[in-house]
Amino acid sequence: LQLKELEIAKLFLKMEKYEAAVASFENLLLDYPDTKYREDALFYTIKSYYYYASKSVRSKRIERYQEAADVYNLFVTTYPDSEHNRDVKYMYDRAMKEIERQNK
């Protein structure tokens, strides 16, 4: 069941339904906090927020990039040696640059 929920959420991400993907990944993590897919779910949550923010109206971008940054902080604290760290660091850095640019 957990794997099925993860795959459904990934499908939303692939279909560029970022809001639905975020909700699905977060629901998976809420419903199954000890899931063996937690690392992947957090990674895809960051990715979903990042793309969701990039496609959002200007007034919502900062908030959504900040959500990606918050999940990033949880991810790197929980999984400091993850194979996804390079990818999430890239998204985090880009999100921070966008937040900074939007605040000017």
Side-chain angles (χ1 to χ4, degrees), residues 13-46:
L13 179 60
K14 185 176 182 177
M15 292 170 42
E16 298 181 4
K17 304 291 184 190
Y18 303 120
E19 187 175 8
V22 165
S24 296
F25 288 120
E26 288 184 341
N27 286 337
L28 171 65
L29 293 167
L30 286 172
D31 293 345
Y32 306 102
D34 295 329
T35 181
K36 67 181 181 179
Y37 305 109
R38 183 171 176 77
E39 181 178 352
D40 286 338
L42 285 171
F43 167 70
Y44 289 116
T45 302
I46 297 165

Side-chain angles (χ1 to χ4, degrees), residues 10 17 23 35 48 51 59 69 86 100:
K10 286 170 59 177
K17 304 291 184 190
T35 181
S48 298
Y51 287 118
S59 63
R86 186 168 151 231
E100 186 178 311

Side-chain angles (χ1 to χ4, degrees), residues 30-91:
L30 286 172
D31 293 345
Y32 306 102
D34 295 329
T35 181
K36 67 181 181 179
Y37 305 109
R38 183 171 176 77
E39 181 178 352
D40 286 338
L42 285 171
F43 167 70
Y44 289 116
T45 302
I46 297 165
K47 191 172 185 177
S48 298
Y49 268 124
Y50 177 78
Y51 287 118
Y52 186 32
S54 71
K55 302 292 184 189
S56 294
V57 294
R58 193 172 294 269
S59 63
K60 297 285 188 176
R61 286 184 188 160
I62 292 175
E63 174 186 337
R64 292 175 180 156
Y65 279 126
Q66 188 58 55
E67 293 281 357
D70 292 345
V71 178
Y72 165 81
N73 289 326
L74 173 63
F75 183 87
V76 296
T77 301
T78 309
Y79 303 103
D81 299 323
S82 173
E83 66 186 39
H84 299 299
N85 280 351
R86 186 168 151 231
D87 294 331
V88 295
K89 176 71 169 137
Y90 172 80
M91 287 183 276

